[in-house]
Amino acid sequence: MSVNQHKSILYILITAFCFGTMEIALKIGGGDFTALQMTFLRFVIGGLFLLPFALHDLKKRRVHLTPGDFAWLVLLGIVGVCISMTAFQIGVMQANANTASVIISTNPVFTMIFSYFIVGEPFTVRKAVVLLLSVTGLIIVANPLHMAEGNTLRGILFLVAAAVTFALFTVLGKRRIAKIGGTAQNSFSFLIASVIELILLLVMDEPVLAGISSHNIATVLYAGIIVTGVGYFCYLKAIELSGPSNASVAFFIKPVIAVILAALILSEPVTVNIVVGVFFILAGFFLNAGIPKKKHTHRGEK
C-alpha cells in the first residue's frame, strides 16, 4: 500500500469522525442559539479555518478570481449554507441526532439526480436501484406513521430539504472546482454565506454573539473548527488523493458513528427502524461505489 493510500484512508477516517459527531455537537450547542445564529457561527469559524489553505492553493494554482467566480461563490454560499445548513440546524433541533445523521448522509443519492439534469451525467439502471434502496432506507428511518420519540414531522422535512439542497450545492460546485479548487471554493463560499447570514441576523434583530458562554464555547468551537473546518478539509484531501468515489466511504461510516455516539452521549434509542434503514442506505452506497462504471458515449446510454 502506497503512502498516498495510507494518507487517503487516514483522511477518510478523520472525515467520518468529524461528520459523524456533527449532529451531536449541533444538538448540544444548538439549544443556546437560534438556527441562523448557530449556522453563522460555525461557518464563519470553519471558513476562517480553511482560509489560509485556500489562499495557498490559489497561489499555487496561479488563479485570479473574476467577478463571475465571486457571483458563483455567492450562489454556492446561499444554497449550501444559508439554505441547506440552516435547514439542517432546524431539523437537528427537532429530530433525534441519529435520525438527522442518517438523513443528511443520503445527499449523495440526490447528487446523482441533480448531476443528470445539471451536468449531464447519465442516469443508469444501477443508479435507479441505488436511488430506490436509499429512499426506502430514508422512509424506514423517518418512519412517518410511527415516528420515534424525539422525532417530529417538521424536523424530518427540514432534514430532507437539507440533504436535497446540499446535493444541489455539491453539483453546482463541480462547475468551477477545477479552476478554483475545493478548499478555496468552500472557504470563500462559507465566508460569503456567513456575511449574508450576519446581515439576516441584524435585519431580523436576532443575536449574533449573544448566548456564547463558558459552558458552550467549546461546543461552538468544535462545530466550527473540527466539524466544519477539519471535516471539509480532510474530505477534500481524500478526494484529491483517491477520488470522489473512495472519499464517499466517509458517508458510509458517518451514520454508524453518529448512531453509536448518540446512544452513548445523548441516550437516544437505537431502534429497529434505524438499523434496517441504515442497512438499505449503506447497500445503496456500496452498490454505487463498488460496481465499476462503464464508459458512456452519449447521454443516457447504459
Side-chain angles (χ1 to χ4, degrees):
M1 187 176 290
S2 68
V3 174
N4 280 349
Q5 286 175 318
H6 281 294
K7 286 183 178 179
S8 175
I9 291 172
L10 179 60
Y11 281 129
I12 289 170
L13 292 176
I14 294 174
T15 300
F17 177 80
C18 292
F19 287 172
T21 58
M22 175 169 60
E23 292 79 14
I24 296 168
L26 295 183
K27 200 164 186 69
I28 292 173
D32 297 326
F33 308 99
T34 67
L36 191 62
Q37 183 187 15
M38 186 65 188
T39 305
F40 162 74
L41 289 172
R42 82 177 182 101
F43 278 95
V44 73
I45 294 171
L48 289 173
F49 174 87
L50 291 171
L51 186 58
F53 303 102
L55 295 175
H56 174 74
D57 192 41
L58 284 179
K59 184 178 180 180
K60 185 171 69 174
R61 290 168 178 266
R62 298 180 180 178
V63 170
H64 297 283
L65 299 181
T66 65
D69 293 328
F70 280 107
W72 195 254
L73 290 168
V74 170
L75 175 63
L76 289 177
I78 291 173
V79 173
V81 178
C82 299
I83 298 176
S84 180
M85 290 296 102
T86 302
F88 182 65
Q89 182 63 41
I90 295 172
V92 166
M93 298 312 298
Q94 298 187 25
N96 291 327
N98 54 23
T99 302
S101 178
V102 174
I103 292 176
I104 197 66
S105 292
T106 62
N107 75 83
V109 178
F110 299 110
T111 298
M112 294 189 309
I113 300 173
F114 284 121
S115 292
Y116 172 75
F117 290 104
I118 296 176
V119 297
E121 290 185 3
F123 191 81
T124 64
V125 172
R126 175 170 57 85
K127 289 184 177 181
V129 175
V130 171
L131 178 62
L132 179 62
L133 286 171
S134 300
V135 170
T136 300
L138 180 61
I139 294 172
I140 293 172
V141 169
N143 195 17
L145 297 180
H146 300 92
M147 284 186 288
E149 184 179 352
N151 288 336
T152 66
L153 180 59
R154 187 168 185 265
I156 298 296
L157 292 176
F158 269 102
L159 290 169
V160 172
V164 172
T165 49
F166 188 78
L168 178 59
F169 165 77
T170 301
V171 175
L172 291 175
K174 293 180 180 180
R175 287 294 185 92
R176 303 208 180 194
I177 197 169
K179 174 187 177 182
I180 300 173
T183 305
Q185 184 166 274
N186 278 348
S187 177
F188 294 153
S189 65
F190 290 175
L191 292 174
I192 290 170
S194 297
V195 171
I196 295 172
E197 294 211 314
L198 175 60
I199 294 171
L200 290 174
L201 286 168
L202 294 174
V203 169
M204 297 168 65
D205 197 27
E206 288 195 12
V208 177
L209 300 177
I212 299 177
S213 64
S214 58
H215 81 273
N216 62 28
I217 184 64
T219 305
V220 173
L221 291 175
Y222 182 88
I225 297 174
I226 304 301
V227 173
T228 310
V230 175
Y232 277 96
F233 178 80
C234 289
Y235 184 54
L236 291 168
K237 281 295 183 181
I239 291 175
E240 179 183 315
L241 290 171
S242 61
S245 294
N246 289 327
S248 67
V249 171
F251 284 101
F252 305 169
I253 306 170
K254 166 185 158 55
V256 178
I257 293 174
V259 168
I260 293 172
L261 291 181
L264 295 175
I265 298 173
L266 302 176
S267 299
E268 291 185 357
V270 181
T271 64
V272 173
N273 288 75
I274 289 286
V275 175
V276 175
V278 167
F279 173 80
F280 272 89
I281 292 169
L282 292 183
F285 283 170
F286 279 113
L287 177 62
N288 187 47
I291 299 178
K293 293 177 174 60
K294 297 179 181 179
K295 291 184 179 180
H296 301 272
T297 55
H298 58 82
R299 179 172 177 155
E301 183 183 356
K302 298 177 183 63

